[in-house]
Amino acid sequence: MRDRTSICLCLAAESIEEDLRIAEEHRGRFDLLELRVDRLSAGEAGLAGRLPARVGSPVILTLRRTREGGKFGGSEQERHALLSKLAVSGFAYIDLEEDFDASDLEARVTGRGGRVIRSMHDFTGVPADLARRVTSLAHHPGEIPKAALLPKNAADLVRLLAAFTDLEGVEKILLGMGDTGFPTRVLAPRLGSFLCYTSAARAQAAPGQVDPLTLERTYNFRSITPRTQVYGVIGSPIMHSLSPLIHNRGFAAIGFDAVYLPFLVDDLDGFWPAADCLEIKGLSVTVPHKQAVISRLSGRDRLVESTGACNTLTRAQGKGPWQGTNTDVEGFLAPLRAALGGAIPRGVSATVIGAGGAARAVVHALKAAGARVLVLNRTAERGRELAEAFSVSHAGLDEPGFLQARDFGDLIVQTTSAGMSPNIAADPAPGLAFSGREIVYELLYAPPTTVFLQRALAAGCRVVRGRKMLVGQAMEQFRLFTGSIYPADLRAELEADMD
Ligand code: ATR
């Protein structure tokens, strides 16, 4: 096996000229190309043979059927005929599906020094016998087996990771598609995959593929080796998270051999075997798991105790017990102090919207600073529970609640996930009117200006954006993960343009 995973840029545009433009734009950021002939418009497919000579990089020839996620809807005879014609055009690899028996076609490619990639696709999940399936894919010696699976949940991810372990040292292409599978794409050099597929943002070839620049800038892909340690953030949704960018840039700057990934986790219990498999040593925790992770902790600090919420997990060994802390409290307070001119005046009044894990950190922080607090929550019971835990007032997210909020109007803190990308039209409290005198602090940061914040700005309120808290809480996490202070110049870049 080669000592480094290659980056493959998939060309999935409708014309050869557009594919060539895409290749040119990404020049220097990929090792080889894949031409998805099935994505070309009808008149263009016949011209595909011209591409290898024009790009100067090895090219994979692929004509994917609809059932494997491609666009080719013709007969198998037509497919065979088109591939036979193209196979003599200088392609370095040809991707043939596991059931495509075409020895003559293979011979045309291998006879010219090319190689066959023998692929299987599964959009229903990850089979339990994946490793065995992969090892029995090849029809002839020298073929590279490839399996692209769409993990549906954490259990699927665990099965996929187990297959990587079982197939250690075997030349293969193995990847998880979609958001749940995304970490396996980035971890290809650590887990052992012959290549990692990428595509241009405007012509994505498969779910979960990112463009080569993102792979390089956000994930330091070229620095990942089998020894690279894994960190990450767990939550749902998660792909909008800026935490990978923040931490990976910091890791690179201090020379810390680690990569930080977004893990889409709905089933928290199912995720822990994946964390052990990857020997993850640190995790950020976000919506909706900040309370649920506490039952998993072996040790917790005073902040977790007093907030009842945990946003940071660390452990000394990759499979050992977890310690929990909460960096949200300080992450929340620092930007607020700055907005208030250095200190939070005692007796300041605040309305907190939401009663989840993030709200717990906020209410704790505000109470500790001497604020008068009202909690407004959609589900009355949860709001009451939080209010009673911290001895503050509570009401529903409704007219009586909004009326009461007028007495708690110095500061409005929006802690819910309503309005977060991709559901950006949502407003958690459309009936809450702003007078313009409130400071409105929203914990969301994607999008930077939600519908809720737009209303606050239109009313003339001063706003504090969630990105400030995101950066604040990440700084302390970074110190816990690496033992080092986050580089000041990078922090300044992250905080630029945030007001
Ligand atoms: P986190 O740990 O990040 O705070 P969470 O524990 O899932 O996430 O809490 C999410 C909070 O956002 C809850 O207060 C939730 O209200 P409910 O208790 O009624 O579920 C609130 N929330 C989520 N979506 C909302 C929406 N569309 N409108 C109003 N509140 C919403």
Side-chain angles (χ1 to χ4, degrees):
M1 186 142 40
R2 273 177 309 178
D3 58 353
R4 86 170 191 182
T5 297
S6 296
I7 296 177
C8 176
L9 176 67
C10 298
L11 301 176
E14 290 185 356
S15 74
I16 292 292
E17 287 308 315
E18 176 67 354
D19 278 337
L20 286 167
R21 268 194 295 277
I22 289 173
E24 203 42 51
E25 283 165 20
H26 294 84
R27 178 83 39 213
R29 301 194 195 285
F30 59 83
D31 304 298
L32 71 165
L33 296 161
E34 178 186 49
L35 178 59
R36 285 286 300 272
V37 179
D38 55 287
R39 300 284 287 258
L40 291 168
S41 61
E44 291 279 320
L47 309 175
R50 296 181 187 171
L51 186 119
R54 292 181 64 185
V55 290
S57 303
V59 187
I60 304 171
L61 169 62
T62 302
L63 182 58
R64 193 71 79 221
R65 297 174 293 202
T66 45
R67 82 170 92 133
E68 279 104 9
K71 289 215 159 153
F72 185 78
S75 71
E76 284 301 89
Q77 285 84 352
E78 285 165 335
R79 206 154 79 97
H80 190 281
L82 181 53
L83 283 173
S84 296
K85 186 178 144 214
L86 296 174
V88 293
S89 306
F91 287 95
Y93 301 88
I94 185 167
D95 183 315
L96 300 174
E97 294 79 4
E98 55 182 327
D99 65 340
F100 195 52
D101 210 0
S103 298
D104 55 326
L105 185 53
E106 280 192 48
R108 283 179 172 226
V109 177
T110 54
R112 288 172 170 76
R115 292 188 72 184
V116 172
I117 294 171
R118 184 65 66 174
S119 61
M120 65 168 274
H121 295 77
D122 194 333
F123 289 89
T124 65
V126 178
D129 61 345
L130 177 60
R132 191 195 57 75
R133 294 270 306 272
V134 170
T135 44
S136 51
L137 274 175
H139 291 200
H140 302 288
E143 295 184 358
I144 304 168
K146 165 184 170 179
L149 305 307
L150 185 66
K152 289 275 189 282
N153 49 36
D156 270 346
L157 179 64
V158 172
R159 272 196 288 281
L160 179 52
L161 293 172
F164 272 109
T165 306
D166 293 345
L167 294 168
E168 201 184 328
V170 175
E171 187 181 49
K172 69 207 172 274
I173 299 167
L174 193 51
L175 61 107
M177 295 181 282
D179 293 351
T180 305
F182 179 73
T184 65
R185 290 188 185 273
V186 178
L187 289 174
R190 181 180 189 272
L191 296 169
S193 183
F194 182 72
L195 54 79
C196 171
Y197 291 96
T198 61
S199 50
R202 66 178 187 274
Q204 199 195 40
Q209 283 183 6
V210 291
D211 63 282
L213 196 60
T214 301
L215 206 55
E216 184 180 312
R217 294 237 173 114
T218 307
Y219 296 101
N220 307 321
F221 184 83
R222 291 289 195 204
S223 306
I224 299 173
T225 72
R227 290 164 303 285
T228 299
Q229 294 195 334
V230 182
Y231 290 78
V233 54
I234 54 174
S236 178
I238 203 63
M239 296 313 282
H240 65 280
S241 175
L242 284 176
S243 297
L245 182 76
I246 297 174
H247 287 286
N248 286 325
R249 289 187 70 185
F251 289 168
I254 65 163
F256 188 67
D257 185 10
V259 60
Y260 181 104
L261 297 163
F263 290 96
L264 176 67
V265 176
D266 288 303
D267 165 23
L268 197 56
D269 287 340
F271 174 73
W272 304 114
D276 284 352
C277 204
L278 292 170
E279 303 196 2
I280 295 176
K281 289 177 76 179
L283 285 169
S284 311
V285 182
T286 189
V287 185
H289 302 309
K290 286 179 180 177
Q291 287 168 272
V293 290
I294 294 177
S295 65
R296 189 72 196 188
L297 300 176
S298 302
R300 66 197 74 167
D301 68 0
R302 188 182 45 79
L303 284 168
V304 174
E305 289 291 349
S306 48
T307 57
C310 170
N311 80 327
T312 311
L313 304 179
T314 54
R315 57 182 173 180
Q317 265 90 39
K319 290 189 200 309
W322 291 105
Q323 303 292 317
T325 185
N326 195 319
T327 68
D328 276 344
V329 176
E330 191 48 35
F332 167 75
L333 282 175
L336 184 59
R337 281 192 213 104
L340 289 166
I344 298 166
R346 286 198 83 74
V348 75
S349 69
T351 298
V352 176
I353 302 171
R360 286 186 159 259
V362 167
V363 173
H364 168 81
L366 289 171
K367 270 289 281 188
R372 287 195 309 118
V373 180
L374 167 70
V375 171
L376 298 183
N377 197 48
R378 184 177 59 180
T379 308
E381 178 57 25
R382 205 169 174 200
R384 189 175 61 79
E385 229 173 76
L386 179 136
E388 283 178 359
F390 292 92
S391 308
V392 299
S393 308
H394 69 95
L397 258 183
D398 46 25
E399 275 314 314
F402 300 146
L403 209 60
Q404 208 175 330
R406 290 189 192 164
D407 292 331
F408 292 83
D410 294 333
L411 173 68
I412 312 280
V413 189
Q414 200 303 83
T415 75
T416 81
S417 47
M420 176 156 75
S421 175
N423 303 316
I424 57 169
D427 183 332
L432 179 70
F434 301 107
S435 70
R437 288 185 298 277
E438 306 89 342
I439 292 179
V440 178
Y441 189 160
E442 182 162 60
L443 272 45
L444 294 186
Y445 61 87
T449 307
T450 58
V451 173
F452 182 80
L453 223 49
Q454 268 166 28
R455 289 201 296 112
L457 286 165
C461 299
R462 282 166 62 202
V463 304
V464 182
R465 291 173 196 278
R467 186 149 163 188
K468 285 205 165 150
M469 175 166 165
L470 173 80
V471 172
Q473 61 80 35
M475 298 299 104
E476 177 59 7
Q477 283 184 340
F478 186 85
R479 195 188 61 75
L480 291 165
F481 293 160
T482 66
S484 300
I485 304 290
Y486 197 84
D489 53 336
L490 283 185
R491 178 172 186 166
E493 274 178 40
L494 294 172
E495 289 184 334
D497 307 324
M498 278 202 299
D499 293 313

mmCIF file of all heavy atoms in Angstrom, residues 4 46 58 73 122 148 157 162 196-197 262 311 340 346 398 433 444:
data_model
loop_
_atom_site.group_PDB
_atom_site.id
_atom_site.type_symbol
_atom_site.label_atom_id
_atom_site.label_comp_id
_atom_site.label_asym_id
_atom_site.label_seq_id
_atom_site.Cartn_x
_atom_site.Cartn_y
_atom_site.Cartn_z
ATOM 1 N N ARG A 4 0.717 7.169 1.661
ATOM 2 C CA ARG A 4 -0.214 8.223 2.005
ATOM 3 C C ARG A 4 -1.500 8.067 1.184
ATOM 4 O O ARG A 4 -1.481 7.593 0.054
ATOM 5 C CB ARG A 4 0.402 9.605 1.838
ATOM 6 C CG ARG A 4 0.317 10.183 0.477
ATOM 7 C CD ARG A 4 0.727 11.645 0.500
ATOM 8 N NE ARG A 4 0.354 12.201 -0.806
ATOM 9 C CZ ARG A 4 0.585 13.433 -1.188
ATOM 10 N NH1 ARG A 4 1.188 14.271 -0.394
ATOM 11 N NH2 ARG A 4 0.212 13.851 -2.378
ATOM 12 N N GLY A 46 -19.789 10.754 -24.986
ATOM 13 C CA GLY A 46 -18.918 10.208 -26.024
ATOM 14 C C GLY A 46 -17.575 10.929 -26.110
ATOM 15 O O GLY A 46 -16.608 10.403 -26.665
ATOM 16 N N PRO A 58 -3.608 11.223 -13.186
ATOM 17 C CA PRO A 58 -4.304 9.940 -13.366
ATOM 18 C C PRO A 58 -5.815 10.145 -13.208
ATOM 19 O O PRO A 58 -6.245 10.940 -12.366
ATOM 20 C CB PRO A 58 -3.764 9.064 -12.236
ATOM 21 C CG PRO A 58 -2.600 9.780 -11.669
ATOM 22 C CD PRO A 58 -2.711 11.220 -12.027
ATOM 23 N N GLY A 73 -28.876 5.502 -16.722
ATOM 24 C CA GLY A 73 -30.124 4.733 -16.685
ATOM 25 C C GLY A 73 -30.252 3.772 -17.846
ATOM 26 O O GLY A 73 -31.296 3.141 -18.024
ATOM 27 N N ASP A 122 -23.818 0.712 -0.622
ATOM 28 C CA ASP A 122 -24.999 0.353 0.167
ATOM 29 C C ASP A 122 -25.567 1.630 0.768
ATOM 30 O O ASP A 122 -24.903 2.287 1.584
ATOM 31 C CB ASP A 122 -24.610 -0.656 1.269
ATOM 32 C CG ASP A 122 -25.841 -1.305 1.888
ATOM 33 O OD1 ASP A 122 -26.924 -0.666 1.869
ATOM 34 O OD2 ASP A 122 -25.722 -2.439 2.390
ATOM 35 N N ALA A 148 -18.555 1.800 -0.438
ATOM 36 C CA ALA A 148 -19.114 3.093 -0.014
ATOM 37 C C ALA A 148 -20.462 2.812 0.638
ATOM 38 O O ALA A 148 -21.365 2.281 -0.003
ATOM 39 C CB ALA A 148 -19.274 4.012 -1.217
ATOM 40 N N LEU A 157 -21.898 3.316 12.182
ATOM 41 C CA LEU A 157 -20.552 3.891 12.180
ATOM 42 C C LEU A 157 -19.576 2.941 12.887
ATOM 43 O O LEU A 157 -18.454 2.720 12.426
ATOM 44 C CB LEU A 157 -20.552 5.266 12.860
ATOM 45 C CG LEU A 157 -19.200 5.963 12.957
ATOM 46 C CD1 LEU A 157 -18.637 6.288 11.575
ATOM 47 C CD2 LEU A 157 -19.303 7.252 13.789
ATOM 48 N N ALA A 162 -15.141 -0.913 12.692
ATOM 49 C CA ALA A 162 -14.650 -2.273 12.980
ATOM 50 C C ALA A 162 -14.096 -2.903 11.703
ATOM 51 O O ALA A 162 -13.078 -3.618 11.740
ATOM 52 C CB ALA A 162 -15.776 -3.126 13.556
ATOM 53 N N CYS A 196 -9.309 9.330 -0.764
ATOM 54 C CA CYS A 196 -10.430 10.066 -0.190
ATOM 55 C C CYS A 196 -11.065 10.868 -1.326
ATOM 56 O O CYS A 196 -10.366 11.625 -2.015
ATOM 57 C CB CYS A 196 -9.916 11.010 0.908
ATOM 58 S SG CYS A 196 -11.174 12.153 1.507
ATOM 59 N N TYR A 197 -12.359 10.670 -1.535
ATOM 60 C CA TYR A 197 -13.049 11.380 -2.624
ATOM 61 C C TYR A 197 -13.476 12.777 -2.190
ATOM 62 O O TYR A 197 -13.986 12.959 -1.081
ATOM 63 C CB TYR A 197 -14.306 10.613 -3.046
ATOM 64 C CG TYR A 197 -14.030 9.303 -3.734
ATOM 65 C CD1 TYR A 197 -14.044 8.104 -3.015
ATOM 66 C CD2 TYR A 197 -13.758 9.248 -5.090
ATOM 67 C CE1 TYR A 197 -13.798 6.889 -3.643
ATOM 68 C CE2 TYR A 197 -13.503 8.039 -5.729
ATOM 69 C CZ TYR A 197 -13.530 6.864 -4.995
ATOM 70 O OH TYR A 197 -13.277 5.664 -5.624
ATOM 71 N N PRO A 262 -16.617 16.602 13.191
ATOM 72 C CA PRO A 262 -18.022 16.666 13.595
ATOM 73 C C PRO A 262 -18.631 15.263 13.580
ATOM 74 O O PRO A 262 -18.565 14.576 12.559
ATOM 75 C CB PRO A 262 -18.656 17.540 12.488
ATOM 76 C CG PRO A 262 -17.815 17.293 11.279
ATOM 77 C CD PRO A 262 -16.419 16.941 11.761
ATOM 78 N N ASN A 311 -20.438 20.384 28.594
ATOM 79 C CA ASN A 311 -20.156 20.602 27.165
ATOM 80 C C ASN A 311 -18.763 20.132 26.767
ATOM 81 O O ASN A 311 -18.363 20.304 25.629
ATOM 82 C CB ASN A 311 -20.340 22.080 26.787
ATOM 83 C CG ASN A 311 -19.151 22.919 27.183
ATOM 84 O OD1 ASN A 311 -18.496 22.638 28.191
ATOM 85 N ND2 ASN A 311 -18.841 23.925 26.398
ATOM 86 N N LEU A 340 -21.141 44.891 28.564
ATOM 87 C CA LEU A 340 -21.624 45.746 29.660
ATOM 88 C C LEU A 340 -20.519 46.637 30.200
ATOM 89 O O LEU A 340 -20.648 47.221 31.274
ATOM 90 C CB LEU A 340 -22.205 44.870 30.776
ATOM 91 C CG LEU A 340 -23.541 44.196 30.430
ATOM 92 C CD1 LEU A 340 -23.858 43.089 31.427
ATOM 93 C CD2 LEU A 340 -24.673 45.219 30.407
ATOM 94 N N ARG A 346 -24.901 44.136 39.481
ATOM 95 C CA ARG A 346 -25.791 43.284 40.292
ATOM 96 C C ARG A 346 -27.225 43.763 40.100
ATOM 97 O O ARG A 346 -27.479 44.951 39.919
ATOM 98 C CB ARG A 346 -25.408 43.361 41.774
ATOM 99 C CG ARG A 346 -24.141 42.609 42.085
ATOM 100 C CD ARG A 346 -23.986 42.314 43.564
ATOM 101 N NE ARG A 346 -24.711 41.121 43.994
ATOM 102 C CZ ARG A 346 -24.324 39.869 43.723
ATOM 103 N NH1 ARG A 346 -23.246 39.646 42.993
ATOM 104 N NH2 ARG A 346 -25.027 38.843 44.168
ATOM 105 N N ASP A 398 -45.247 32.213 25.675
ATOM 106 C CA ASP A 398 -46.580 32.595 25.217
ATOM 107 C C ASP A 398 -46.883 34.022 25.695
ATOM 108 O O ASP A 398 -46.034 34.657 26.342
ATOM 109 C CB ASP A 398 -47.622 31.610 25.759
ATOM 110 C CG ASP A 398 -47.413 31.324 27.250
ATOM 111 O OD1 ASP A 398 -46.819 32.199 27.941
ATOM 112 O OD2 ASP A 398 -47.804 30.263 27.738
ATOM 113 N N ALA A 433 -41.860 41.107 21.777
ATOM 114 C CA ALA A 433 -41.503 42.373 21.108
ATOM 115 C C ALA A 433 -40.316 43.017 21.829
ATOM 116 O O ALA A 433 -40.208 42.935 23.054
ATOM 117 C CB ALA A 433 -42.698 43.303 21.118
ATOM 118 N N LEU A 444 -26.867 30.891 19.301
ATOM 119 C CA LEU A 444 -26.649 30.319 17.957
ATOM 120 C C LEU A 444 -25.609 31.146 17.213
ATOM 121 O O LEU A 444 -25.516 32.341 17.415
ATOM 122 C CB LEU A 444 -27.924 30.419 17.120
ATOM 123 C CG LEU A 444 -29.149 29.645 17.510
ATOM 124 C CD1 LEU A 444 -30.205 29.808 16.433
ATOM 125 C CD2 LEU A 444 -28.772 28.200 17.648
#
